[in-house]
Amino acid sequence: MSDETPTPLEGDALELAKLRAGLTAGLTPAQSARLIGTDEAALTADAAALAAEFTPSTLMPPAPRAGGDRGPDVQGTAGTVAGGAARYRARHGMDEDGNRPSTAKPLPTSTRNPFAEPAYRMESR
């Protein structure tokens, strides 16, 4: 009858066993150093439990976007440079060439400036 109790690991053998168990479970070396156990079976079980904590199923879902869709989420050409240029022209009243429509300028009602003062006066004596 053989005794199947695993022998406890110590020192460098324990550190190497932690690293092996952690890397096998997909942990980083820093995470592997935190494993708890004194034999390979306990370290492997702890590594599997720790790796399960970091799976994407336990992560929080992304927060909803504020301000509505933008970028590639917007349908049509609005997410492209040409679509943005067309929207800018429409918003600022421009035609396809980027020119604003001509508007009639008001004619001056008087050509004389009422605030102008003569620079000099001629006085007769």
Side-chain angles (χ1 to χ4, degrees):
M1 225 168 152
S2 67
D3 199 351
E4 294 190 20
T5 305
T7 58
L9 300 171
E10 296 177 358
D12 291 338
L14 179 62
E15 295 301 318
L16 182 60
K18 284 182 179 183
L19 186 60
R20 280 187 192 147
L23 292 177
T24 303
L27 300 175
T28 65
Q31 293 168 337
S32 300
R34 297 174 179 254
L35 295 178
I36 299 171
T38 56
D39 60 356
E40 289 191 31
L43 291 172
T44 303
D46 191 34
L50 185 60
E53 291 293 323
F54 293 117
T55 58
S57 63
T58 60
L59 297 178
M60 295 284 295
R65 288 184 169 182
D69 293 334
R70 53 193 169 270
D73 299 335
V74 179
Q75 302 220 354
T77 61
T80 64
V81 174
R87 189 171 177 184
Y88 179 85
R89 286 191 304 268
R91 186 175 284 175
H92 294 283
M94 297 178 169
D95 62 5
E96 291 295 319
D97 296 328
N99 300 322
R100 289 194 168 90
S102 62
T103 57
K105 295 183 181 179
L107 296 174
T109 55
S110 171
T111 57
R112 182 178 172 272
N113 184 351
F115 301 104
E117 295 182 13
Y120 62 90
R121 288 187 187 181
M122 294 184 69
E123 294 181 19
S124 60
R125 288 190 182 194

